Amino acid sequence: MAVIDYYKILGVAKSASEKEIKNAYRKLARKYHPDLNPNNKEAELKFKEINEANEVLSNAENRKKYDQYGKDWKHGEEYEKAKHQQQSQYQSQQGGFAGGDFGGQDFSDYFESMFSGARSTSGRGTRGKFRGQDFNTEFHLNLKDVYETKQHVLTVDKHKIRLTVAAGVKDGQVIKIAGKGGQGINGGPNGDLYIKFIINNNTKFKRDGNNLYTQVDVDLYTAILGGEITVDTFDGKVKLTVKPETQSDTKVKLTGKGFPKYKQEGEFGDLYISYKIKMPTQLSDKEKELFRELQNAKS
């Protein structure tokens, strides 16, 4: 079996830094994501290869094993133990002679014989059970998509997974779905699926944890005299009373009108509103005269 070149899959050099690998993965994952390429088998296969390459190269320990053992990187430790054991047996049989010859077998042949069903010393066939590969993927959603708990369908390794995304999930948050990774080898357990959420905020609200922040324009007359205004929250409109002589950048807090707290049913953060005083424009002559009168009265 040919060794899979994970560096080539991500389009990076073998000397690439962790940041270069991460950037290359993100760029390719977005390009070939199944949600953006529906019914495109080539894109699905490419997406699977990209995730597999990222799982190996983004982990320093896995990358070191891959650089050393190639396609057999997942079983490097078992190989070392087996090689040491066979060397010890060989030395014993040869009266203590230490050599690196394994009966004419090269590295890959020897490895395959150890872990792919070669005969044991008792003459019976043996196969090792190995856990399947973990999968890593990104799931891109809009902020409004995670304000309420919703079900989504995610395609991973050509399999559709129905996923319930709890309200309040955060940008960059990673969840694990046990057993939804690669299939186990020789009856071994399946790997796990790790999903990283990328939350795109295309609203006028800034999110910080469970709290939301926004700005609201208040006309000059309401700011001076006071009054009532209607403002948008994330899930509707509310009326607020503006106090007389309100200054620009005055902040008010609406308790419980922020973002839902992750897996805390009925619990919400707060909404913070900053007032921005909006100056009048295109004044009439009469309005200008009234402002002059006001200016003279204050002097």
Side-chain angles (χ1 to χ4, degrees), residues 10 17 20 26 79 106 118 135 145 150 157 197 210 241 247 251 277 281 288-289 293 299:
L10 293 184
S17 67
E20 289 173 329
R26 284 194 168 187
Y79 164 73
D106 64 18
F135 289 162
D145 295 329
K150 293 182 180 179
D157 194 31
F197 290 94
N210 299 314
T241 298
Q247 302 297 306
K251 293 180 174 60
I277 308 305
T281 59
K288 291 177 182 178
E289 182 61 32
E293 290 180 11
S299 61

Side-chain angles (χ1 to χ4, degrees), residues 106-148:
D106 64 18
F107 174 89
S108 58
D109 290 339
Y110 172 73
F111 194 93
E112 291 292 337
S113 73
M114 290 301 300
F115 297 104
S116 299
R119 291 185 178 276
S120 66
T121 54
S122 62
R124 293 175 296 175
T126 177
R127 286 181 178 271
K129 293 184 178 181
F130 298 107
R131 182 176 178 277
Q133 183 179 13
D134 289 337
F135 289 162
N136 293 273
T137 189
E138 289 184 352
F139 195 17
H140 293 252
L141 293 169
N142 290 325
L143 190 61
K144 288 186 176 181
D145 295 329
V146 294
Y147 186 75
E148 297 177 342

Side-chain angles (χ1 to χ4, degrees), residues 10-284:
L10 293 184
V12 297
K14 194 170 183 180
S15 59
S17 67
E18 183 179 340
K19 183 177 180 180
E20 289 173 329
I21 290 172
K22 182 178 180 180
N23 290 340
Y25 165 71
R26 284 194 168 187
K27 182 179 179 180
L28 292 171
R30 290 191 187 100
K31 180 179 180 181
Y32 292 102
H33 197 286
D35 290 346
L36 301 178
N37 299 273
N39 302 318
N40 187 330
K41 300 299 182 183
E42 249 183 64
E44 283 188 16
L45 179 60
K46 187 70 176 177
F47 188 71
K48 176 184 175 183
E49 291 177 344
I50 292 165
N51 277 283
E52 184 177 325
N54 181 64
E55 180 204 349
V56 177
L57 300 185
S58 64
N59 182 293
E61 186 177 343
N62 289 349
R63 183 178 179 181
K64 182 179 179 181
K65 292 179 182 178
Y66 171 72
D67 288 342
Q68 185 173 359
Y69 300 108
K71 69 182 177 66
D72 298 314
W73 70 271
K74 293 186 75 172
H75 309 309
E77 292 180 5
E78 291 94 327
Y79 164 73
E80 288 295 335
K81 291 178 183 178
K83 183 175 74 171
H84 179 73
Q85 182 181 5
Q86 183 148 335
Q87 281 180 326
S88 298
Q89 292 175 350
Y90 189 82
Q91 290 175 29
S92 176
Q93 293 169 1
Q94 299 298 320
F97 174 74
D101 184 9
F102 294 94
Q105 291 177 298
D106 64 18
F107 174 89
S108 58
D109 290 339
Y110 172 73
F111 194 93
E112 291 292 337
S113 73
M114 290 301 300
F115 297 104
S116 299
R119 291 185 178 276
S120 66
T121 54
S122 62
R124 293 175 296 175
T126 177
R127 286 181 178 271
K129 293 184 178 181
F130 298 107
R131 182 176 178 277
Q133 183 179 13
D134 289 337
F135 289 162
N136 293 273
T137 189
E138 289 184 352
F139 195 17
H140 293 252
L141 293 169
N142 290 325
L143 190 61
K144 288 186 176 181
D145 295 329
V146 294
Y147 186 75
E148 297 177 342
T149 298
K150 293 182 180 179
Q151 281 198 338
H152 300 268
V153 176
L154 183 64
T155 302
V156 178
D157 194 31
K158 299 183 180 180
H159 297 288
K160 293 188 181 298
I161 298 173
R162 189 173 296 278
L163 177 68
T164 299
V165 179
V169 66
K170 294 178 173 60
D171 182 45
Q173 183 173 338
V174 178
I175 65 171
K176 180 181 80 171
I177 302 182
K180 291 299 183 179
Q183 188 173 0
I185 300 174
N186 299 331
N190 290 348
D192 300 325
L193 171 63
Y194 291 87
I195 302 174
K196 182 177 182 179
F197 290 94
I198 305 298
I199 309 301
N200 175 43
N201 186 356
N202 53 3
T203 74
K204 64 179 182 180
F205 298 92
K206 177 184 175 183
R207 182 186 183 189
D208 184 6
N210 299 314
N211 296 325
L212 294 174
Y213 298 82
T214 191
Q215 293 182 350
V216 172
D217 289 334
V218 178
D219 68 79
L220 178 64
Y221 310 109
T222 302
I224 294 173
L225 302 174
E228 194 173 70
I229 62 173
T230 300
V231 300
D232 291 321
T233 68
F234 207 86
D235 64 344
K237 297 179 181 292
V238 297
K239 288 185 177 181
L240 295 180
T241 298
V242 179
K243 295 179 180 180
E245 300 181 12
T246 290
Q247 302 297 306
S248 193
D249 293 326
T250 295
K251 293 180 174 60
V252 295
K253 180 177 79 170
L254 301 186
T255 303
K257 283 295 184 179
F259 218 70
K261 297 181 179 180
Y262 183 66
K263 290 191 175 180
Q264 297 182 43
E265 189 70 27
E267 295 290 326
F268 290 80
D270 302 321
L271 171 61
Y272 292 85
I273 295 176
S274 296
Y275 290 145
K276 292 296 179 183
I277 308 305
K278 187 176 181 182
M279 300 301 293
T281 59
Q282 298 181 337
L283 296 175
S284 67

